[in-house]
Amino acid sequence: MIVATGLYLLALLLITLFSDVVFGVNAQSLAYGPLALSLVVLIYIALVDGPPDFISRWWTSSPMTVVGLLFVAGMAASLPMARDVAMAVRDVLRWTFVFMVYAPVTRAICDESGRCRLCARAAAAFVVGFAALAIGDLLLGGGAAHAMLGTSVVTHEGRLQSIYGNPGILAGMLIVGFPLTLSFALSDRARAGRLAWSVGTTVILGGMLLSGSRAALVAAAVAAAFIAVALRRWWLLALTGAVVGTVGLLLAAETLDGPPALGTGIRSLRRRMLIWSVALDLIAQRPLVGWGGSQLRHHQHSGFYRAHNAWLDAWLDGGLLAVVAMLVVAALVLRRAWGTAARRRANWLDPVHIAWVASSLAVMTGWTVRAGIGSRIDWLPIFMMFGAYWEQAPSADGEKGAARSTQELDGALSYEKDFLPAERKSGRGGAVVDRSDQ
């Protein structure tokens, strides 16, 4: 299991690195290697140590399997409609790997609390590290990234792109990382840990501002509000509301001058509305069967490769089946978010799980205006959120008598021991965990 986990962490590093500008190959595609090897190791462990029930534990028990089958089926059915068949086939193969390998490996790695926390902290550390590299290099003149890219680290619009060669890709990485670092900054038991994660959160926020992505800032606000409610940090909720309200008023008055992300963005919004209109027209022509993976570029002359909305992109690429799959994802994420905020299950109250739910909400917020159906790092929090460990605690609404192992019981109680204030453990201040079956 150590080998499988190490391979998975290597894949996370490559997924976070992303850049094909520097290496000539998309690092997220390079991550397929260690992910595939990790799956092989996991299957070997399951067959040797037993019982060999990995199919039911990693595939059939995960809601992502149904989502993946729907999505890939829609993409495959749309292949005959594609103008660039090779590109459409690559998309089918890519998404097959994402849902049939990346998702079950994540679920297998995440079936134990310690490994899930390790992966969460590693992913957050990778994001902070690359954000710090981007900002630090910019402060020093951008020489390192310029040497790797062969171009400026800042676009002509004043947006930081660093080694990613695209400010939107940089922002997408930061969207995933911000909820993780913020949750850890609020819940880490060690003062040094809280300080380190607070610094990381600040670095990520700085990167969001410099990237010029307004979607990233909105996603950060959504994530912060959810974390505040889930962890009952009401001061954070009030602070988030105050910042959002103040910035909104200043933007409406067009008096705010600063980083690109705080601009009014009227031109960007108009361009989004233009491509959404084109996408809806194309969907109306083929509402059941899409146009094939990544084919929008061949059907319009507005300069866009994608519709800049995940659900529209899915409908264009894979027709009705693909958009239904994406709607199911949205429904599952929102349902888990509601259950977590309402404290339905003990394990869902673990700060790491809360961080993954917040990150999933942030990703979905970004999907409303960002290009594509999400990169591999976008799916990381969603796959992690549905990891087996978080399903092991019974609901507070009455799954009485559910059979649980000693490990599962310890997992359900670990949150109370490590994170709840003393008055909540003793029952004062409102019931948090149903102990009737403990």
Side-chain angles (χ1 to χ4, degrees), residues 208-396:
M208 286 179 171
L209 289 169
L210 293 171
S211 73
S213 173
R214 288 164 294 277
L217 296 181
V218 175
V222 170
F226 173 79
I227 290 172
V229 172
L231 292 177
R232 302 303 192 253
R233 302 295 200 272
W234 305 120
W235 62 267
L236 176 60
L237 184 62
L239 177 61
T240 302
V243 171
V244 170
T246 301
V247 172
L249 289 174
L250 292 173
L251 289 176
E254 298 186 1
T255 60
L256 191 62
D257 186 21
L262 297 180
T264 58
I266 298 299
R267 178 177 177 272
S268 177
L269 179 60
R270 287 174 177 169
R271 284 176 57 78
R272 292 291 193 281
M273 293 178 68
L274 170 63
I275 195 59
W276 291 339
S277 175
V278 172
L280 289 171
D281 287 342
L282 289 170
I283 288 170
Q285 296 177 38
R286 288 180 183 166
L288 298 180
V289 180
W291 296 83
S294 301
Q295 300 298 300
L296 175 63
R297 66 193 69 194
H298 302 300
H299 298 280
Q300 48 80 41
H301 303 286
S302 304
F304 287 98
Y305 285 171
R306 308 296 293 176
H308 286 264
N309 178 281
W311 294 272
L312 292 179
D313 274 318
W315 207 338
L316 286 167
D317 288 1
L320 188 60
L321 288 178
V323 75
V324 166
M326 293 297 291
L327 289 173
V328 170
V329 171
L332 289 171
V333 171
L334 292 175
R335 181 181 180 184
R336 177 63 64 90
W338 174 259
T340 302
R343 304 196 164 196
R344 296 283 177 82
R345 291 177 182 264
N347 274 2
W348 292 2
L349 303 184
D350 190 299
V352 177
H353 176 262
I354 289 173
W356 287 127
V357 178
S359 186
S360 298
L361 290 173
V363 164
M364 280 179 47
T365 302
W367 278 355
T368 59
V369 294
R370 294 180 61 231
I373 310 170
S375 61
R376 264 62 89 214
I377 195 171
D378 284 351
W379 288 93
L380 172 64
I382 296 174
F383 292 160
M384 279 287 184
M385 186 177 62
F386 293 109
Y389 169 69
W390 312 116
E391 311 304 331
Q392 291 172 354
S395 69

Side-chain angles (χ1 to χ4, degrees), residues 176-201:
V176 173
F178 173 79
L180 301 179
T181 58
L182 178 60
S183 180
F184 301 155
L186 293 171
S187 61
D188 199 295
R189 286 169 290 175
R191 180 176 298 179
R194 292 194 298 272
L195 177 61
W197 290 120
S198 297
V199 172
T201 303

Side-chain angles (χ1 to χ4, degrees), residues 2 54 64 71 113 132 150 159-160 212 247 258 288 320 329 350 401 407:
I2 293 176
F54 54 87
M64 289 298 103
F71 191 91
S113 60
R159 301 177 61 185
L160 177 64
V247 172
L288 298 180
L320 188 60
V329 171
D350 190 299
Q407 178 185 3

